[in-house]
């Protein structure tokens, strides 16, 4: 899961370092941005959308993968799609990231010097559009988590740049199914209790309301495990264990990468991994090992006596053989 979500880190880092290096201080900053982003999108099929604020006043840049991952398309057309959108209808002085369309009011960002920026995670949200911007049927919507990045340019006497990278979680669900314990389950959760990915296959549910489609988010609090796991347990950034009936639930923060305390703090504040391990699966290997150890302890004196007798018999045989050699040269 950390590998899937970590795909957005390289792209955000490339934009942040490009901004600090002055690569956007040219006549066409959008061409420079596309040049930086396109190779990263080639390497990360899980990135569904990139949004950037601050390249130009009152404009937001939105980048989509387009046909980059369509192998049937000629190379000249496999480029990222880029749009500029006005901010007049969405800008808020209280929330500079309001135009991203996320719940970013009051969000706490963490300093990540290794990335050259401040970072935070937000979401989840449903991606209702495809790689070329066309609206999708609710069955085709994908759940995404968002990496938010702020590049502080005050030391260079420039306005700051905000970045939003939407990472697809559908492949994370497949990774959770592969990593789930035997006869158990594994879930990736947000600290608020939204299910980001699960080893259990969820039935697609969607409704049509007032001429528009809606698809509900899967909440952990609607699952049977919620009787033993409290909101305080899920909110704490510490590793916890709790018994759920006869099974053991292990809750721990999800740490993304080893690139410094800032990146680690942002992920541990937002992301959780919950593994449900059946008692038989959790205890049987340990019980078997304890039984083997007990048997070894019990038979060790007898084994020592047998080895001692064998050694003594070998010693007597050697002495007799030596004496025979002397008596019968």
């Amino acid at each position: 899961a950390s590998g899937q979500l970590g795909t957005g880190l390289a792209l955000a880092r490339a934009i942040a370092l490009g901004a600090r290096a002055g690569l956007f201080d040219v006549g066409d900053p959008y061409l420079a941005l596309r040049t930086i982003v396109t190779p990263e999108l080639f390497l990360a099929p899980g990135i569904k959308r990139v949004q950037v604020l601050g390249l130009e006043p009152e404009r937001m840049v939105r980048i989509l993968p387009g046909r980059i991952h369509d192998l049937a398309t000629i190379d000249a057309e496999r480029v990222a799609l880029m749009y500029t959108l006005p901010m007049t209808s969405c800008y808020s002085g209280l929330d500079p990231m309001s135009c991203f369309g996320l719940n970013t009011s009051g969000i706490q960002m963490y300093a990540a010097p290794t990335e050259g920026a401040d970072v935070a995670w937000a979401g989840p949200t449903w991606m209702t559009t495809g790689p070329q911007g066309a609206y999708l049927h609710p069955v085709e919507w994908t759940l995404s988590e968002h990496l938010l990045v702020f590049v502080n340019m005050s030391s260079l006497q420039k306005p700051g740049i905000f970045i939003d990278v939407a990472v697809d979680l559908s492949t994370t669900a497949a990774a959770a199914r592969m990593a789930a314990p035997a006869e158990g389950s594994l879930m990736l959760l947000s600290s608020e209790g939204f299910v980001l990915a699960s080893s259990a296959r969820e039935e697609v549910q969607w409704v049509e309301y007032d001429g528009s489609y809606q698809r509900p988010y899967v909440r952990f609090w609607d699952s049977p495990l919620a009787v033993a796991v409290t909101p305080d347990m899920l909110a704490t950034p510490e590793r916890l264990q709790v018994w759920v009936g006869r099974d053991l639930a292990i809750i721990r923060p999800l740490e993304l990468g080893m690139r410094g305390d800032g990146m680690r703090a942002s992920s541990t504040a937002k992301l959780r991994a919950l593994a449900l391990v059946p008692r038989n699966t959790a205890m049987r290997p340990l019980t078997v090992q304890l039984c083997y150890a007990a048997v070894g302890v019990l038979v060790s004196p007898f084994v020592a006596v047998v080895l001692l007798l064998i050694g003594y018999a070998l010693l007597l045989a050697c002495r007799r053989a030596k004496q025979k050699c002397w008596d019968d040269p």
Side-chain angles (χ1 to χ4, degrees):
S2 60
Q4 300 293 336
L5 290 173
T7 56
L9 300 179
L11 189 147
R13 182 168 58 253
I15 298 176
L17 296 180
R20 292 188 177 277
L23 299 183
F24 303 134
D25 300 335
V26 294
D28 190 355
Y30 302 119
L31 178 60
L33 180 62
R34 175 180 289 177
T35 303
I36 293 175
V37 170
T38 298
E40 300 295 339
L41 291 179
F42 265 108
L43 298 175
I47 297 178
K48 297 301 182 183
R49 187 180 68 192
V50 181
Q51 300 183 119
V52 182
L53 294 171
L55 283 185
E56 287 191 353
E58 300 181 357
R59 305 290 294 182
M60 181 180 74
V61 183
R62 178 172 294 169
I63 306 172
L64 300 176
R67 297 181 177 178
I68 281 182
H69 305 293
D70 186 358
L71 299 180
T73 303
I74 59 176
D75 293 342
E77 297 181 358
R78 296 177 64 187
V79 295
L81 302 180
M82 182 177 294
Y83 308 91
T84 59
L85 305 173
M87 299 171 53
T88 54
S89 61
C90 62
Y91 179 76
S92 171
L94 300 177
D95 182 9
M97 294 184 287
S98 57
C99 289
F100 287 156
L102 307 171
N103 184 17
T104 55
S105 179
I107 192 171
Q108 181 179 359
M109 306 194 76
Y110 299 85
T114 54
E115 315 303 320
D118 298 341
V119 297
W121 288 91
T125 63
W126 290 112
M127 291 297 297
T128 60
T129 57
Q132 300 187 59
Y135 284 98
L136 303 174
H137 190 274
V139 176
E140 300 176 319
W141 291 1
T142 57
L143 198 63
S144 297
E145 187 75 1
H146 295 259
L147 175 64
L148 301 177
V149 179
F150 171 60
V151 186
N152 190 347
M153 306 284 287
S154 58
S155 61
L156 303 176
Q157 305 297 323
K158 299 178 183 178
I161 293 179
F162 294 90
I163 308 169
D164 164 35
V165 182
V167 182
D168 184 17
L169 293 173
S170 59
T171 53
T172 306
R177 285 191 286 270
M178 294 178 61
E183 302 179 6
S185 61
L186 179 64
M187 287 188 286
L188 177 64
L189 310 171
S190 69
S191 57
E192 300 86 3
F194 292 105
V195 178
L196 307 180
S198 175
S199 58
R201 299 183 182 274
E202 301 289 344
E203 182 180 356
V204 177
Q205 298 180 357
W206 56 275
V207 295
E208 184 177 0
Y209 178 76
D210 197 17
S212 62
Y213 294 112
Q214 294 183 1
R215 188 168 169 179
Y217 295 98
V218 180
R219 289 168 45 87
F220 172 76
W221 311 119
D222 298 330
S223 69
L225 298 178
V227 299
V229 180
T230 65
D232 291 338
M233 291 181 180
L234 208 57
T236 182
E238 299 178 358
R239 187 180 188 275
L240 300 174
Q241 295 182 3
V242 59
W243 288 104
V244 183
R246 296 181 55 83
D247 301 331
L248 179 64
I250 303 173
I251 309 168
R252 58 160 296 171
L254 184 66
E255 298 182 0
L256 299 182
M258 300 296 292
R259 296 190 58 85
D261 294 337
M263 185 59 67
R264 187 179 299 108
S266 65
S267 60
T268 55
K270 177 69 177 180
L271 306 175
R272 303 286 182 270
L274 188 151
L276 183 66
V277 185
R279 181 185 294 267
N280 292 338
T281 303
M283 301 300 295
R284 183 176 298 170
L286 180 59
T287 304
V288 172
Q289 292 178 5
L290 289 175
C291 291
Y292 287 157
V295 172
V297 171
L298 291 175
V299 303
S300 57
F302 301 99
V303 174
V305 171
V306 171
L307 293 177
L308 182 60
L309 292 176
I310 293 175
Y312 185 68
L314 291 175
L315 179 62
L316 291 178
C318 292
R319 287 181 177 178
R320 289 184 179 181
K322 183 178 179 180
Q323 185 65 33
K324 186 176 180 181
C325 291
W326 283 104
D327 294 343
D328 189 10

